Amino acid sequence: MTGMDHDSSIPPASPSRGVSNGAALSPRHKASLSAASTNGKHHPLDVKSEPSPSHTNGTSTSKSQPVLPDFFGHDREEVIRILIQSLGDLGYDNAAMALGRESGYDLESPAVAAFRNSVLHGEWAEAESLLFGHDPSAGGGAALTIENGFDTYGDGLVLAEGADRKEMLFWMRQQKFLELLEDRDLGSALMVLRQELTPLNQDIGKLHALSSLIMCQSAEDLKSQAEWDGAAGQSRHALLSELSKSISPSVMVPEHRLATLLQQVKQSQISNCLYHNTDKSPSLYCDHLCDRNQFPLRTVLELEQHMDEVWFLEFSHDGTRLATASKDRTVIIYDVPSFDTLHTLLDHGDAVAFVAWSPDDTKIISCARDHKAKVWDARTGKCLLVIDQHTEPVTACSWAPDGLSFVTGSLDRPTQLYIWNLNGVQLHSWSGQFRVLDCSITPDGQRLVVISAERRVFVYDYHTRQEEYSLTLNTDITCLTISHDSRYMLVNMANNEIHLLDIQTAEQIQKFSGQKQGEYVIRSAFGGAGENFVISGSEDSKIYIWNKENGVLVESLEGHNGGCVNAVAWNPRDPGMFASAGDDRKVRMWVPISLDPSPV
């Protein structure tokens, strides 16, 4: 056990099919829309004189069924309109139209269909008038007119609560501006920029970025600079998708609504499944529940090669090897799943507190209390590089995603944080009156997160080397872990808590409690399928596992024989395996009960 005192552009959307939001309606679809329908409301024009056959579980019956006012407690109109949209999404356009005819409901009104087509065909004046209910050519205020069943310049579409009209206008006019630039109509584009975009008083920085695009020498240059795929690409579909979010859902059903609802059902079942530990999507045919016996709760093997406390361990990214670091001054690399010893790294002069695998798993860095960090060839066990410029124990290290450089952190002051290349050349250093306890580069390479012995968390832009922000916490902190998606950090606190923080906003997302930590460095980790769990060692010899999303304690396991469980690591390729390291000099391997019913 280690003592703490030691120290803008709109994202593209895939086009929908048929009558679903985000795709153009064919002339056939337009013709099927009834002029008697308003914003998807029921119309009586297609009421059948004879009931059609009903279907139960795919079987047709000749008995007519009464039309109920609702659908098992759900609004009938909402259900039918969502079904019409979903049939279109699935490509069953004729079935969608048939359902509309038989039910008497339309997915949407002619005005909504006209608005969609205006956006998808780049008819921007028409789109604005349909959306907001005025005729731009008449200076606004033109009276309502009906043409071929379309409400042309009426009150406009009902917007969602909180919708920003100016922002919506900005999106449409921005698209118009970019398309004019794509056509090399620079004069018209400049007029749109000056007379239509600028008066909206939206994002000044965005306006400056748009104005700089006028200097683009070609359409391809424009697309590259603007990160935009052109009028013929998906940009209009993406614009429509974004606009639809600001239109009342009763008017324009949100795109792919049934798929969204089904995903929410699945996510709710996953959230309520205490032992959910699979990447497989739950079936819609039955309620989802994972078997506890499929969760890693049983020790299958004890590794006893270390001669003193084991302080740290980490699986390789491909899950085929495990590295352990010990107070006995060694690092041991094991094969997985045989757990044969591949290499024992012996050259450190004091306890080894940390190891890190390179992104391609060919190298490993060890950090020790002998003030040194060493880079090893993980395949041969040969030492490739020694970093010996630190004057205090090296506490942590982290690889850049390209594997060509890495960061080391130590208890030095004031030069406690360095970037090195593989030749041992110092590329950068941060100075400050703090001592580094742990550090990690986010997997996407955008940020470096550091925690200090002075209860502070620092977040740096890894490319510019500038500090983005820092936090001062109200208790001692010991270590951190970054999620694979680079969104979250786990910070272990000395008050028996682990905090989950959003790296972008510094907001606390979740808190985990129950484990014991106050005097020593106890490490936690994300783990399981999709990193659904948080796992931690503890000073009471136990292992604690929580649900990451809701913070519920899933299991408290009897971990090791006395002393601390110092570190835990979940196999990134096998959600049914994790390892723990303890003061009892052992590394324990955990697997599901169903795989090994006999405990060690």
Side-chain angles (χ1 to χ4, degrees), residues 115-132:
F115 170 70
R116 172 186 288 108
N117 279 275
S118 295
V119 171
L120 295 179
H121 289 91
E123 299 166 356
W124 304 115
E126 182 78 1
E128 288 188 19
S129 67
L130 287 164
L131 183 57
F132 298 118

Side-chain angles (χ1 to χ4, degrees), residues 237-253:
H237 292 281
L239 171 62
L240 181 62
S241 177
E242 198 68 23
L243 289 169
S244 70
K245 298 173 185 177
S246 297
I247 298 172
S248 171
S250 65
V251 173
M252 194 171 189
V253 178

Side-chain angles (χ1 to χ4, degrees), residues 243-469:
L243 289 169
S244 70
K245 298 173 185 177
S246 297
I247 298 172
S248 171
S250 65
V251 173
M252 194 171 189
V253 178
E255 60 182 357
H256 315 307
R257 184 59 184 161
L258 181 59
T260 299
L261 293 173
L262 293 178
Q263 185 58 40
Q264 290 174 356
V265 169
K266 287 186 176 183
Q267 189 56 51
S268 176
Q269 293 200 4
I270 288 173
S271 298
N272 292 322
C273 178
L274 193 63
Y275 297 99
H276 186 77
N277 194 28
T278 175
D279 289 324
K280 295 181 179 179
S281 180
S283 171
L284 293 172
Y285 288 131
C286 58
D287 293 339
H288 172 75
L289 187 65
C290 288
D291 187 345
R292 181 177 183 270
N293 288 337
Q294 300 297 319
F295 199 78
L297 301 174
R298 182 67 51 86
T299 298
V300 67
L301 183 66
E302 289 184 342
L303 306 176
E304 302 181 273
Q305 283 79 0
H306 282 294
M307 305 304 294
D308 210 329
E309 298 171 359
V310 187
W311 285 355
F312 191 84
L313 74 174
E314 184 175 83
F315 284 97
S316 59
H317 298 90
D318 63 7
T320 65
R321 285 166 292 174
L322 174 69
T324 62
S326 170
K327 188 179 178 182
D328 68 6
R329 308 181 181 186
T330 69
V331 174
I332 299 178
I333 301 177
Y334 297 94
D335 174 71
V336 177
S338 71
F339 296 101
D340 294 333
T341 300
L342 297 177
H343 304 289
T344 301
L345 313 180
L346 301 169
D347 291 348
H348 276 292
D350 206 336
V352 184
F354 196 92
V355 294
W357 291 89
S358 64
D360 63 2
D361 292 329
T362 63
K363 302 176 185 67
I364 193 168
I365 303 173
S366 57
C367 302
R369 288 193 167 184
D370 61 3
H371 309 175
K372 295 177 182 178
K374 297 187 177 186
V375 181
W376 308 81
D377 186 319
R379 296 163 297 188
T380 66
K382 178 182 177 181
C383 184
L384 303 175
L385 177 67
V386 178
I387 301 296
D388 57 6
Q389 281 87 336
H390 290 289
T391 60
E392 293 289 342
V394 183
T395 53
C397 62
S398 184
W399 288 90
D402 61 8
L404 300 178
S405 61
F406 58 92
V407 170
T408 58
S410 77
L411 299 177
D412 301 47
R413 277 192 290 195
T415 52
Q416 67 290 328
L417 195 60
Y418 294 97
I419 301 177
W420 311 90
N421 67 16
L422 294 179
N423 295 318
V425 176
Q426 184 187 129
L427 304 179
H428 185 74
S429 67
W430 287 267
S431 61
Q433 294 301 315
F434 61 89
R435 297 176 296 164
V436 174
L437 294 179
D438 206 348
C439 62
S440 184
I441 301 171
T442 56
D444 63 9
Q446 298 301 307
R447 293 182 172 92
L448 170 66
V449 184
V450 179
I451 64 170
S452 78
E454 292 74 25
R455 301 183 174 182
R456 298 187 68 186
V457 178
F458 298 89
V459 177
Y460 297 95
D461 183 307
Y462 188 66
H463 298 295
T464 67
R465 321 300 195 203
Q466 299 300 308
E467 181 182 316
E468 291 189 3
Y469 66 85

